[in-house]
Amino acid sequence: MDLVIFDLDGTLINSEAILLRSQVETFARHGLVHPGREAGLGIVGLTLNIALMQLAGLDEPDEALTETYREVFGAMRRQAESDPTLAEPLFPGVADMLAELARQPGLRLGIATGKSRRGVEYIVERFGWQDLFQTVQSADDAPSKPHPGMILRAMAQTGAAPERTAMVGDSSFDIEMAVAAGVMPIAVSWGFQPPASLVALGARHVLTDCRDLPGLLGLPAVAGSV
């Protein structure tokens, strides 16, 4: 394997609390009823304006709704500095797994996320990942998942072939994107969507422990991860 691409929310980062609370507050400000946790997590991974459009049951993106969400999310992220319930921690074992993968000669790592470029930069800086990922694809770089554009751009930037590339994610959008790009789709069990549904869409493996990923890629197992 030459390139492993990761989704962020629900795959590397547990952002459930801040995402759902931002959605609920945004909907309340627009007089809308939030459809609940399952629906709220089910659109995570899409580009923001499309995600909110689907969540609200609209026929087209609503820029006012999108802008309100940006304002609410920004305020909650600032609030998270003093409110641990809004924290966005890494899932257990992720830090060790990424560190081990980064030590593998010739292996390149990437990100493909529905977050904006600014949102990705915040996460990268927060966790000190500036030198970890060789390619980063955001909502500002390519069409929304499940369009394969993010993966195609990542492969073009790194010179990786589809048969030597894997996409690791927790949503239907990640798996469908991987299938469309012709790369290996790998699902995680700890994310925002049921693993069984991801297998039905084409996921070849379901990770239940970060320590399993290096083995799937033919690399040494991560020592000491949770």
Side-chain angles (χ1 to χ4, degrees), residues 11-213:
T11 300
L12 299 182
I13 299 168
N14 186 358
S15 50
E16 176 177 337
I18 193 171
L19 293 177
L20 288 178
R21 285 174 63 176
S22 296
Q23 291 174 10
V24 170
E25 175 64 21
T26 297
F27 273 48
R29 292 189 184 187
H30 285 261
L32 301 172
V33 177
H34 189 272
R37 177 180 180 273
E38 182 176 352
L41 294 179
I43 51 83
V44 175
L46 294 172
T47 298
L48 181 58
N49 62 341
I50 296 175
L52 292 174
M53 175 188 75
Q54 291 193 9
L55 191 62
L58 303 175
D59 294 327
E60 58 185 22
D62 184 326
E63 187 54 40
L65 189 67
T66 303
E67 186 57 35
T68 298
Y69 180 91
R70 290 194 182 103
E71 294 174 1
V72 170
F73 185 83
M76 288 200 178
R77 182 163 271 172
R78 291 188 293 273
Q79 182 182 339
E81 296 176 4
S82 58
D83 183 354
T85 66
L86 291 171
E88 300 170 82
L90 297 179
F91 283 103
V94 164
D96 289 336
M97 174 192 68
L98 292 176
E100 178 63 27
L101 293 177
R103 289 192 288 267
Q104 300 296 327
L107 181 65
R108 285 150 289 181
L109 304 180
I111 290 173
T113 175
K115 288 183 178 297
S116 67
R117 172 65 61 171
R118 180 180 178 184
V120 178
E121 290 173 349
Y122 170 87
I123 294 297
V124 167
E125 182 177 352
R126 178 185 171 196
F127 291 107
W129 289 345
Q130 290 89 339
D131 299 321
L132 183 61
F133 295 99
Q134 287 71 55
T135 179
V136 175
Q137 306 301 321
S138 72
D140 296 322
D141 302 309
S144 178
K145 300 175 184 180
H147 188 283
M150 291 187 190
I151 293 179
L152 296 178
R153 281 175 54 90
M155 290 191 294
Q157 289 178 359
T158 59
E163 63 272 15
R164 301 284 298 171
T165 300
M167 174 70 207
V168 183
D170 72 303
S171 75
S172 60
F173 317 119
D174 296 319
I175 303 305
E176 290 173 340
M177 177 175 65
V179 170
V183 306
M184 178 187 290
I186 300 176
V188 301
S189 65
W190 54 81
F192 297 160
Q193 294 189 24
S197 66
L198 306 184
V199 171
L201 290 171
R204 297 187 202 171
H205 306 280
V206 176
L207 287 176
T208 58
D209 190 315
C210 287
R211 291 173 294 187
D212 296 336
L213 183 57

